[in-house]
Amino acid sequence: RTAGVRVVDGPLDDLAGLADHAGVRTPRYTLVTAFEPIGGLAGDSEGLGALLAAATPLAERGAPVVLAGWGPPERCATSSVLRVATRPDDPARGTGGPRPPLRDEMEEVARRAGLRPDGSGRVACPFGYADLDSAVRGMLSTGLFDAAMVASDENQVEKELAEALHAHRRSDGTVWMPNVFRYLIARIP
């Protein structure tokens, strides 16, 4: 049997509608992935748990669920850059900003969603950009700096971000930040 690929990008609120469309039963998912790394923003694991719980009934029994998360801050060069999104002296920028990952957070998210953890590990995930402007745009596109942009002056956030990225600029002008991400493979019971 040939398996098709279905991609759902965005909120999973309407996934139940995908299960039965026009009286035709859609095959169950055989793989669920969460590429949005948890441990990047305060409260992100709670939201992910709810999304996984919503997706679980739509997947085959035993299907793998792969979660990704930030590795230890000392192994992620990007950690220093993410500090721009929050400042301890500015409470408005302190909510929803980056925070260090908790050691067993992915496992807890999986368990709360009714999944069975089956293996985990670490993987190198460097962030590389052609130049400083590309690095600033790339980092801003993550959404991790949105609260800072709302609470502060957009130009100031961009300036602080460029300053933080300057430490990762190579002699050829490229920006390179070696990172280690954690991953967890869990199974649908």
Side-chain angles (χ1 to χ4, degrees):
R1 151 179 114 117
T2 304
V5 174
R6 291 185 293 160
V7 175
V8 178
D9 184 16
L12 299 182
D13 297 340
D14 296 328
L15 279 183
L18 293 175
D20 186 8
H21 179 67
V24 177
R25 184 80 182 147
T26 304
R28 293 189 171 270
Y29 290 102
T30 57
L31 171 67
V32 177
T33 59
F35 291 119
E36 184 76 24
I38 63 173
L41 294 175
D44 60 4
S45 64
E46 290 82 16
L48 179 59
L51 292 174
L52 289 173
T56 298
L58 303 171
E60 288 183 3
R61 182 183 175 133
V65 178
V66 182
L67 309 177
W70 292 97
E74 66 275 6
R75 302 275 316 270
C76 294
T78 306
S79 294
S80 63
V81 175
L82 294 176
R83 288 188 199 112
V84 170
T86 60
R87 283 192 255 177
D89 61 334
D90 185 352
R93 286 175 74 173
T95 58
R99 61 165 176 80
L102 304 173
R103 186 182 182 291
D104 296 326
E105 189 166 23
M106 283 190 286
E107 290 80 355
E108 289 303 315
V109 168
R111 284 187 187 99
R112 283 194 310 263
L115 304 171
R116 182 178 36 90
D118 193 32
S120 64
R122 294 180 180 186
V123 63
C125 187
F127 291 7
Y129 301 95
D131 55 40
L132 193 58
D133 289 339
S134 296
V136 169
R137 284 192 313 275
M139 294 302 296
L140 289 175
S141 74
T142 65
L144 295 172
F145 299 87
D146 289 355
M149 302 278 271
V150 169
S152 181
D153 175 66
E154 183 175 331
N155 290 330
Q156 182 64 30
V157 173
E158 289 179 9
K159 179 180 177 255
E160 291 176 21
L161 185 53
E163 289 171 3
L165 287 164
H166 188 72
H168 304 286
R169 193 168 179 209
R170 293 177 160 183
S171 60
D172 64 357
T174 60
V175 176
W176 185 257
M177 295 179 286
N179 299 294
V180 172
F181 275 45
R182 288 190 65 230
Y183 67 88
L184 171 74
I185 300 170
R187 299 280 174 179
I188 305 287

